[in-house]
Amino acid sequence: MSIKTIIVPVRDLAAAKTLYGTILGVEPYADEPYYVGFRVGDQEIGLDPNGHNHGMTGPVGYCHVSDVTASLRAAVAAGWRTRQDVKDVGAGQLAAIVEDPNGNVLGLLQRFERNPS
């Protein structure tokens, strides 16, 4: 398991898209009013204009997991606190956020895997 997605809360989506696009050197693969996503190799950098409204104070790294509900349950049993319960974040993806005793956050992301045709 590794952190493959980083979501950054932004206040000005258009300006952030330009800034991140310039530094990452790629065009966004997703460009919506609610999310702009860039892929660089296996890494995804997402810009969320609603992040601050949902309590994000900085970037959140997301571990990709096969079962977000089971992963959340295991994290809580290990001492993490639920910061955001499992929710649908679009396109069949489910996400949760946990916080350690020091206030550090980590996201859990279950992505919809399409069957190859």
Side-chain angles (χ1 to χ4, degrees):
M1 177 179 0
S2 63
I3 296 173
K4 293 185 177 183
T5 301
I6 299 171
I7 305 296
V8 180
V10 298
R11 298 201 190 281
D12 183 337
L13 188 59
K17 180 173 75 170
T18 299
L19 287 171
Y20 280 81
T22 299
I23 198 73
L24 296 173
V26 297
E27 292 294 316
Y29 79 90
D31 190 353
E32 301 294 338
Y34 57 87
Y35 183 81
V36 172
F38 298 90
R39 285 202 180 110
V40 181
D42 288 343
Q43 185 72 53
E44 179 170 345
I45 307 294
L47 308 177
D48 182 353
N50 299 305
H52 292 288
N53 297 336
H54 295 133
M56 292 178 74
T57 58
V60 175
Y62 285 81
C63 292
H64 291 200
V65 298
S66 59
D67 183 335
V68 72
T69 302
S71 296
L72 177 59
R73 208 173 311 123
V76 169
W80 292 82
R81 181 179 74 82
T82 302
R83 178 122 177 229
Q84 173 195 292
D85 207 351
V86 176
K87 76 175 192 176
D88 186 329
V89 294
Q93 299 180 110
L94 301 174
I97 299 175
V98 292
E99 182 177 327
D100 74 11
N102 297 297
N104 300 301
V105 296
L106 181 65
L108 305 169
L109 181 64
Q110 179 180 329
R111 300 196 76 155
F112 173 70
E113 299 295 333
R114 296 179 190 207
N115 292 329
S117 23

